[in-house]
Amino acid sequence: SAVEQCHGFFAALILFVLPAVGGTLLSAIFLPEYITVGASAGIFGLIGACLADISLNWSLLFNDFVNKGTGHRHTVVLLVLFLDIVVNSLVGLTPFVDNFAHLGGMAFGYLCGTSTMRRVTTDMFGAEQKKTFRSTLKYHFGKFFGIIVTLVGMSTAFTLLMNGDGRTSPCPSCDALSCIAFPPWTSYENKWWYCDDCGSVTADARIDSNTNQFDQLTLHCPGGDDVLIDMGENFENDKDWLESMLP
């Protein structure tokens, strides 16, 4: 509501919707086998907009004429915002929390914020600021640059998503940005949590030449281990059933 009150409904709509869509696109590209729901990408977009507001008006945050000795309050706000970003990013390294949507939304929110956030000048506080051709050009360039980069980035992400196979990520090692098994220095059995690698499990089924039925299943785990499962007589020997039971 504060963003809407200060910058208007249309700006607030852009700062929430575009980062929400952009963050979701990045999540779908880099985590294709997971389903992400929620409005967190849009919320992080608002955090990115706050960062854009700070960067655009950085010269006024600690300006003695503007703050009249109360600049320390802005230092506290910056520290709280920085701590909020760090904590949420660390939480995003746990399972079932999507850092690609969060950080992607924040990046798109920052870009949108550079185009939609109002730039505050010292003129508002009674100190005239001389305008030059360079400052005017810089103002108009920054006004449109962020939103243009956002739209180009979202179009590129959408193209990559449509051209993908819906199963593999263009950067498999980038999964570490969204989930890390913890603690990393302990053995696999002693970790506090694991990242869900079920989507990368493959299997081979062996058919008994005498009975012409499946008698053994070999699971190829993400860590490189193979698990042999004896089908026996308690398993159904239907190929469609086997495929439906695999991760």
Side-chain angles (χ1 to χ4, degrees), residues 1-17 46 116 118:
S1 60
V3 174
E4 184 177 355
Q5 291 174 2
C6 295
H7 303 280
F9 171 78
F10 184 68
L13 183 67
I14 291 177
L15 293 173
F16 184 84
V17 173
L46 296 177
T116 56
R118 295 177 181 175

Side-chain angles (χ1 to χ4, degrees), residues 41-226:
I43 294 173
F44 270 78
L46 296 177
I47 295 177
C50 290
L51 295 177
D53 193 13
I54 291 172
S55 64
L56 291 173
N57 302 295
W58 180 262
S59 61
L60 298 179
L61 288 177
F62 305 101
N63 187 297
D64 292 334
F65 179 82
V66 174
N67 296 286
K68 301 186 185 302
T70 61
H72 65 279
R73 292 185 301 178
H74 298 304
T75 303
V76 174
V77 172
L78 288 176
L79 289 176
V80 171
L81 181 61
F82 175 76
L83 182 62
D84 180 51
I85 294 173
V86 170
V87 170
N88 279 284
S89 297
L90 291 177
V91 171
L93 296 178
T94 61
F96 311 115
V97 181
D98 192 344
N99 247 0
F100 283 104
H102 291 175
L103 300 181
M106 186 165 61
F108 282 118
Y110 179 86
L111 291 172
C112 292
T114 59
S115 295
T116 56
M117 288 290 188
R118 295 177 181 175
R119 290 161 174 78
V120 181
T121 65
T122 54
D123 295 345
M124 298 180 59
F125 304 95
E128 294 185 3
Q129 188 176 19
K130 184 178 179 181
K131 295 182 179 180
T132 62
F133 174 77
R134 180 180 178 183
S135 63
T136 303
L137 181 63
K138 181 180 179 181
Y139 172 82
H140 289 290
F141 176 78
K143 192 69 176 175
F144 298 101
F145 178 77
I147 198 70
I148 292 175
V149 173
T150 297
L151 295 176
V152 171
M154 290 178 61
S155 299
T156 304
F158 183 77
T159 302
L160 290 174
L161 180 62
M162 291 296 99
N163 290 333
D165 58 11
R167 295 186 301 272
T168 58
S169 167
C171 178
S173 59
C174 294
D175 290 355
L177 292 175
S178 189
C179 183
I180 296 179
F182 188 83
W185 55 84
T186 63
S187 62
Y188 190 82
E189 293 78 12
N190 296 322
K191 293 187 182 299
W192 297 358
W193 65 73
Y194 308 92
C195 298
D196 187 3
D197 294 327
C198 290
S200 56
V201 173
T202 59
D204 294 322
R206 189 183 70 179
I207 298 179
D208 190 317
S209 58
N210 296 325
T211 62
N212 201 30
Q213 291 184 332
F214 295 108
D215 66 342
Q216 188 181 84
L217 188 67
T218 304
L219 293 179
H220 305 291
C221 301
D225 298 326
D226 292 340

